[in-house]
Amino acid sequence: MTQCLWCEEKIEIALTFSGLFLEKAKKEYICNTCMNRLEPVSNKHDQCGTCCKPSKDKQCQDCLKWKKIYPDYDFKHRSLFYYNHFAKEYMEKYKIMGDCELALLFSSQLNNCFKSRLKDSVFIPIPISGKSLTVRGFNQVELLLENAGISYIRALENISEEEKQAKKNKKERMEMKQPFVLKNGVESQLKGKNVILVDDLYTTGRTLFHAADSLKNCFPASIKTFSLFR
Ligand SMILES: [Zn+2]
Ligand SMILES: [Zn+2]
């Protein structure tokens, strides 16, 4: 029997032949009731075509602003779910309280989202600062990818010693300095590759734009960005 990792409700699964060989990443860890508390980005019609923010315009104001700062970067962001009340509760328990088993909750959804891209893409999780790593004990983005069966490379290092982003207001976040440096020797692994930068949550975009900017000297073929929540 499988139980929902969030509410402990039993999850009914139809066992098929291939189901007998289910890998960790293919199994469901979230029940339908909990799933229905989430708001999938794909269901929303009125959204920015560049960053999926709910918007009546084709491109939202934030994206227009970013385009002025990074005119040469063909930015394209995708997310699975909007950051609603349930998503906040999840992040609180998983990231802040450190319940690392919850990294599995969306593993099959994440695996589904990327399974067609696994061969032709290089996944790079956004690194957290050394301070955060000491406090939390794990990088929440890496753990999401691992549990979803997505291999990644640690191409970036977060050298910031700043306070947590959550404590900052929008203006302060937008003005944050570049926190990332490229790790030695990763250039050859990224040159000509389709890179997917992965974060847990997209708020202002500041973090992902910094990360993308720090990769440009590696000359990847493309840099797309993804976050579990938007
Ligand atoms: Zn549930
Ligand atoms: Zn946008």
Side-chain angles (χ1 to χ4, degrees), residues 4 7 31 34:
C4 173
C7 72
C31 72
C34 289

Side-chain angles (χ1 to χ4, degrees), residues 118 121-127 133 138-156 183 186 189-190 195-198:
L118 291 176
S121 307
V122 174
F123 292 81
I124 301 177
I126 295 297
L133 193 60
F138 61 94
N139 175 328
Q140 73 281 358
V141 185
E142 290 182 1
L143 214 56
L144 287 174
L145 291 173
E146 277 163 34
N147 282 290
I150 300 164
S151 51
Y152 57 84
I153 62 170
R154 287 179 175 143
L156 299 171
K183 287 206 176 173
V186 296
Q189 293 179 69
L190 303 182
V195 169
I196 302 180
L197 280 166
V198 185

